[in-house]
Amino acid sequence: MVMDVIGFSPRPSQAEVFASKARFLVIDAGRRWGKSLTGLNWLLQGVCDEGGVHWWVAPVYAQSKMAFRQMELAAKRGGAEQLLRKSLSELRWEFPNGAVMEFKSADNPDNLRGSGLKRVVIDEAARVRRDVWEEVIRPAVSDTHGRVMFISTPKGKNYFYELWTRGQDALQPEYWSPKPLPSTDNPMISEQDIEQARRSLPADVFAQEYMAEFLENQAGVFRGIRECARSVRMGPVPGEVYYAGLDLARLTDFTVLTILDSAGRQVYLDRYNTLDWAVQKRRIIEAVREYGARLLIDSTGIGDPIYDDLRRAGLAVSGYKFTSVSKKQLIEALMLAFEQRQISILDDPVQRGELEVFEYTLSPGSGGQVHYSAPAGYHDDCVIALALAWWARSASPGLRVWSLA
Ligand SMILES: Nc1ncnc2c1ncn2[C@@H]1O[C@H](COP(=O)(O)OP(=O)(O)OP(=O)(O)O)[C@@H](O)[C@H]1O
Ligand SMILES: [Mg+2]
């Protein structure tokens, strides 16, 4: 049976992708460029021309399901639904020519076993771990000499960048990559949307997400972590003013208490879990009292009764309510402190790790909002405690001292 892909007219930059006969295609493009649409159509082309098994791989399940749904809509619109067999539980389509299209997510290595694949699209490849490519997908296309398309917005200079540079190297003809393709290449994205994003997002975020630029050290939110790690633990100095930030454990997290001095130097860091509240409280009260620190805690939800407890103990405590807006403000203030080297932190490996992996995500759609959080499976307690202490310090009225001549 002959099948044709209809209804998709690639723009010139997309047509180039289809024209390339290279085995590994590495497409670096901005948000809303049409990455997913291009990838899906390239996979469909393989289904029609070559038969066999084809994979769509996305970083997480929700994304692969979205692509599966997109295929469903296309099949409905084209009146081809009866010709195809679908399995929603397996996210799998079977075509009349026997070809199979399976939608996988890279966060579940168990469902990534397979071999003999004809084409694979790794959507948002910069957010898929390198070993998924090297250890799972690469072997699965070796016997069939299958082809792979990596299509993504960049994420710093990680392995996706490495693959992209191979595509730029005439001596590695197996790889092909076009120059970075900005979102502005898609005429369906209005200039207004792009302008709004340019104005509202941090400059780096815009450059990476919309201009598809490969930036140095772009994986994280905080810059200059190493340069800022030059503080040492110090006991309280008489006359000094201290600011404490407390992030309380919820279920599996850690409780972290951080103390900064008035110069923005971190002088104290304590981190513990699985202690009961009475023990935690004693430890917090002791430290905060010792430094005479003003304490800022997360007073959202669980924080409230604890807040009262600490206040009753006589601590100068205030609450910070977390909303998506207030969290953004809190984190951006700390970002700026690192960028301008105003803060100086203890060289604690756990804290450094949390600061390094802390990341931003953009909500879907053009002009998306930026959100900050630890990646799934990582903690952010040290980051939040530090951000609260920094906020407490910045929000306090400045100390004015007159010298007596
Ligand atoms: N050649 C094309 N013809 C018609 N519409 C297109 C074309 N290319 C992209 N689009 C439209 O542009 C929009 C973005 O496409 P798509 O979702 O594939 O982009 P993306 O780069 O994967 O976006 P995101 O960064 O949000 O993942 C969609 O509405 C899509 O239908
Ligand atoms: Mg997409």
Side-chain angles (χ1 to χ4, degrees), residues 32 34-37 56 66 70 123-124:
R32 314 301 295 147
K35 300 181 299 292
S36 300
L37 199 68
W56 176 270
M66 217 153 71
Q70 223 172 323
D123 193 26
E124 294 304 342

Side-chain angles (χ1 to χ4, degrees), residues 243-261:
Y243 304 92
L246 175 66
D247 189 41
L248 284 156
R250 269 144 240 234
L251 302 170
T252 60
D253 287 359
F254 293 82
T255 285
V256 175
L257 177 67
T258 272
I259 301 181
L260 301 177
D261 68 9

Side-chain angles (χ1 to χ4, degrees), residues 208-222:
Q208 172 163 279
E209 303 288 330
Y210 285 82
M211 304 313 290
E213 284 178 24
F214 291 105
L215 304 178
E216 301 288 346
N217 306 324
Q218 185 45 38
V221 164
F222 301 106

Side-chain angles (χ1 to χ4, degrees), residues 55-362:
W55 274 12
W56 176 270
V57 180
V60 295
Y61 176 78
Q63 286 165 320
S64 43
K65 189 157 177 196
M66 217 153 71
F68 177 86
R69 291 282 187 212
Q70 223 172 323
M71 261 297 299
E72 191 169 32
L73 277 178
K76 268 194 187 134
R77 265 203 310 268
E81 219 191 356
Q82 307 83 323
L83 294 175
L84 310 181
R85 291 226 323 262
K86 78 169 171 185
S87 158
L88 184 58
S89 59
E90 292 173 90
L91 298 189
R92 172 188 161 96
W93 289 96
E94 268 177 46
F95 292 78
N97 65 350
V100 172
M101 206 168 173
E102 293 180 333
F103 293 76
K104 306 279 186 179
S105 58
D107 58 350
N108 181 2
D110 284 346
N111 79 26
L112 283 173
R113 295 188 205 297
S115 60
L117 306 177
K118 285 290 185 58
R119 287 193 186 188
V120 178
V121 170
I122 309 183
D123 193 26
E124 294 304 342
R127 280 147 190 88
V128 168
R129 290 205 325 267
R130 173 198 289 269
D131 55 357
V132 168
W133 153 238
E134 287 176 350
E135 287 163 33
V136 182
I137 304 205
R138 184 70 185 80
V141 293
S142 59
D143 48 346
T144 34
H145 205 70
R147 300 177 68 199
V148 181
M149 174 188 289
F150 304 82
I151 190 159
S152 188
T153 299
K155 189 170 168 130
K157 289 191 170 172
N158 65 3
Y159 86 100
F160 175 68
Y161 172 69
E162 244 174 81
L163 293 171
W164 180 85
T165 54
R166 288 187 196 183
Q168 297 285 302
D169 180 356
L171 298 179
Q172 301 192 60
E174 263 204 322
Y175 290 82
W176 176 84
S177 63
K179 292 273 176 260
L181 300 155
S183 307
T184 43
D185 186 61
N186 185 351
M188 297 174 74
I189 311 296
S190 77
E191 263 172 49
Q192 261 170 320
D193 272 0
I194 302 270
E195 261 325 295
Q196 201 225 328
R198 194 196 299 276
R199 276 197 307 272
S200 64
L201 296 172
D204 280 351
V205 175
F206 181 82
Q208 172 163 279
E209 303 288 330
Y210 285 82
M211 304 313 290
E213 284 178 24
F214 291 105
L215 304 178
E216 301 288 346
N217 306 324
Q218 185 45 38
V221 164
F222 301 106
R223 305 293 192 78
I225 298 166
R226 261 168 214 287
E227 294 85 330
C228 288
R230 45 172 207 267
S231 191
V232 287
R233 276 174 195 277
M234 275 183 276
V237 175
E240 178 58 64
V241 185
Y242 293 97
Y243 304 92
L246 175 66
D247 189 41
L248 284 156
R250 269 144 240 234
L251 302 170
T252 60
D253 287 359
F254 293 82
T255 285
V256 175
L257 177 67
T258 272
I259 301 181
L260 301 177
D261 68 9
S262 61
R265 290 179 300 193
Q266 186 180 31
V267 293
Y268 177 96
L269 172 65
D270 194 11
R271 179 169 176 275
Y272 35 91
N273 74 342
T274 64
L275 297 180
D276 67 32
W277 170 232
V279 179
Q280 287 198 35
K281 191 166 72 174
R282 231 183 3 256
R283 229 157 125 169
I284 293 163
I285 292 171
E286 231 168 66
V288 174
R289 269 206 193 127
E290 195 192 345
Y291 284 85
R294 298 170 195 185
L295 173 64
L296 187 61
I297 70 169
D298 168 4
S299 62
T300 325
I302 178 180
D304 287 340
I306 290 170
Y307 173 86
D308 291 339
D309 254 12
L310 296 173
R311 173 151 278 198
R312 266 197 299 276
L315 302 187
V317 47
S318 341
Y320 191 90
K321 280 230 183 308
F322 275 75
T323 63
S324 57
V325 175
S326 73
K327 181 173 181 191
K328 182 167 176 282
Q329 285 172 340
L330 188 80
I331 297 301
E332 287 182 352
L334 188 62
M335 277 167 77
L336 202 66
F338 273 98
E339 207 151 301
Q340 303 185 341
R341 311 285 191 268
Q342 291 169 334
I343 195 168
S344 133
I345 57 167
L346 296 170
D347 194 8
D348 176 275
V350 175
Q351 174 173 263
R352 194 174 55 231
E354 282 189 18
L355 286 163
E356 278 168 357
V357 301
F358 201 77
E359 61 178 18
Y360 69 82
T361 45
L362 282 185

